[in-house]
Amino acid sequence: RRCRLRVLDMTGLPDATSCRAPDGMSVWSGTVALARACVEVSKHQREFQRRGSKRHKGRSGAATAAAAPQPPGVDVHADLFVNGTSYGILRDALQTGAGGPLRLKCREFQAEELSATGIVTLLESLDPSCVRRVDLRFNNLGLTGLSVILPHLSRFPELRSLKLQYSNVDVRRPTPESVLGIRCLAGQLGMLPSLRELNLGSSRLSGNLRQILCDLQAPLESLELAFCSLLPADLAFLSQSFHAPALKRLDLSGHDLSRSLLEPLRLLLEQTSASLLHLDLMECRMADSHLDALLPTLRRCSRLRFLGLYGNSLSTAALKDLLQKTLELPELRLVVYPFPSDCYKPEPQLQCGWEDPVDSERLAAVDAEISGILRSSGRTDLVWIYNPYGHGALDYFSL
């Protein structure tokens, strides 16, 4: 009894799907295994109690029998990932309640491809004291579904991160319903006092960012707005808001910086320069001239650790200039750069319409040249890579 296990912490285990633990267990399969264990152990406990009660009644002849004292259960802290396939078993495991021998304590909750009702059922079953992140990507919720779910998040006092990417939110053409939905969304976000990270990726928010963020009680430190169809007014609002000086992570991938967004972005980066650690500008239609316009501001981001530029049309010369001018950033550790535009080899006319393939020899030569510059400058701690996957991008909780 003196050595009985009370707490088992299984949070933060490497995820096999992240390419960092190819022989390990994914968060999804780990969730299923834990849920099954909780259900099975609870079933065995009930059966043991039932048999013990029968034996006790047989010996004493009493109509009722006092249950034998049960050993305290084990709190299992874990990150949980559920979809339609695993919904039933996780629901059953969570609903075994506080009296079960294995009690799931969720730190980070991720749900994909579930209905709003199903998500609410699981959220209501979670221990409110432990949850720090809720990730609801790929659930096709729309503003209506979000309005059903978000009120249930206010029961989590430690909720710091909320991810709602791919939620099928499109408010580019205002309607009375969408205006009301945005107002409702803003109010519900305002009920989350600890919120510091928000991901609205792939929501079509054109011109509505001010309205969505207006009720937040504290500044955000991480804001992901990839492919959100933002307008200059959205970036202008952000640069003037109380969020800008606090931002550590900013993702504006998928926006066209070749036009009217470039100057608002430059002004925003000026306001975030003292705090910004992670900047994603992938697939932003940037050419050499646009990068050149941003470089003076980027060089003032003295704490920058990560810069993502994959998918932009930048030449080898522009990339080398960026490299030389950012070597002075002492905390920069990772740059994801695009295939240089001069490393593509044009295909014959008959294949017009297909993307030109990369000249692997020229790309290898550029990569070797970049590596040589890093070595000669003594910045062997800085990695430049053209593969946007598998490099373990910074998570908010590791910033």
Side-chain angles (χ1 to χ4, degrees), residues 134-202:
V134 170
D135 186 338
L136 303 178
R137 68 184 75 185
F138 299 116
N139 287 291
N140 198 31
L141 297 168
L143 285 173
T144 301
L146 290 176
S147 70
V148 172
I149 292 170
L150 294 189
H152 297 272
L153 300 182
S154 60
R155 62 190 292 267
F156 302 128
E158 299 303 318
L159 183 67
R160 297 179 66 83
S161 172
L162 178 60
K163 292 177 174 282
L164 302 173
Q165 62 268 47
Y166 303 103
S167 289
N168 191 26
V169 172
D170 189 342
V171 291
R172 288 174 292 182
R173 296 178 178 83
T175 65
E177 293 78 13
S178 70
V179 171
L180 181 61
I182 290 172
R183 191 177 305 141
C184 182
L185 174 62
Q188 291 163 347
L189 291 176
M191 298 297 290
L192 307 175
S194 298
L195 189 67
R196 297 296 182 272
E197 177 177 53
L198 180 62
N199 187 337
L200 296 171
S202 295

Side-chain angles (χ1 to χ4, degrees), residues 11-209:
T11 59
L13 295 180
D15 186 357
T17 61
S18 71
C19 301
R20 285 176 285 173
D23 299 323
M25 180 180 286
S26 69
V27 175
W28 182 89
S29 57
T31 298
V32 172
L34 281 173
R36 285 177 177 161
C38 290
V39 171
E40 289 300 313
V41 172
S42 182
K43 187 187 303 181
H44 285 301
Q45 183 189 55
R46 290 195 300 271
E47 180 64 18
F48 179 78
Q49 289 173 334
R50 185 183 64 82
R51 292 177 180 177
S53 178
K54 283 185 176 181
R55 287 195 300 270
H56 185 80
K57 288 179 183 178
R59 288 193 297 268
S60 67
T64 59
Q70 296 299 315
V74 178
D75 290 337
V76 183
H77 294 258
D79 301 327
L80 303 178
F81 174 24
V82 60
N83 58 18
T85 305
S86 57
Y87 169 79
I89 187 66
L90 181 60
R91 177 201 58 207
D92 294 346
L94 291 172
Q95 292 180 349
T96 57
L102 294 180
R103 297 182 293 264
L104 284 179
K105 305 286 186 178
C106 179
R107 183 185 69 159
E108 299 189 5
F109 176 80
Q110 180 178 341
E112 289 186 7
E113 301 174 351
L114 293 182
S115 67
T117 302
I119 292 171
V120 168
T121 297
L122 296 178
L123 290 174
E124 286 295 292
S125 302
L126 297 177
D127 185 323
S129 66
C130 303
V131 179
R132 70 177 190 178
R133 169 176 284 155
V134 170
D135 186 338
L136 303 178
R137 68 184 75 185
F138 299 116
N139 287 291
N140 198 31
L141 297 168
L143 285 173
T144 301
L146 290 176
S147 70
V148 172
I149 292 170
L150 294 189
H152 297 272
L153 300 182
S154 60
R155 62 190 292 267
F156 302 128
E158 299 303 318
L159 183 67
R160 297 179 66 83
S161 172
L162 178 60
K163 292 177 174 282
L164 302 173
Q165 62 268 47
Y166 303 103
S167 289
N168 191 26
V169 172
D170 189 342
V171 291
R172 288 174 292 182
R173 296 178 178 83
T175 65
E177 293 78 13
S178 70
V179 171
L180 181 61
I182 290 172
R183 191 177 305 141
C184 182
L185 174 62
Q188 291 163 347
L189 291 176
M191 298 297 290
L192 307 175
S194 298
L195 189 67
R196 297 296 182 272
E197 177 177 53
L198 180 62
N199 187 337
L200 296 171
S202 295
S203 300
R204 311 300 186 180
L205 304 179
S206 306
N208 291 283
L209 194 61

Side-chain angles (χ1 to χ4, degrees), residues 199-246:
N199 187 337
L200 296 171
S202 295
S203 300
R204 311 300 186 180
L205 304 179
S206 306
N208 291 283
L209 194 61
R210 178 190 298 271
Q211 292 86 336
I212 291 171
L213 303 184
C214 64
D215 288 339
L216 289 178
Q217 301 179 34
L220 293 170
E221 297 176 347
S222 175
L223 183 57
E224 297 180 69
L225 298 169
F227 299 92
C228 281
S229 303
L230 298 180
L231 301 178
D234 294 310
L235 295 189
F237 153 72
L238 198 54
S239 65
Q240 298 162 12
S241 71
F242 73 155
H243 304 291

Side-chain angles (χ1 to χ4, degrees), residues 9 76 140 249 303 329:
D9 188 349
V76 183
N140 198 31
R249 179 184 184 129
R303 301 180 61 196
L329 297 179

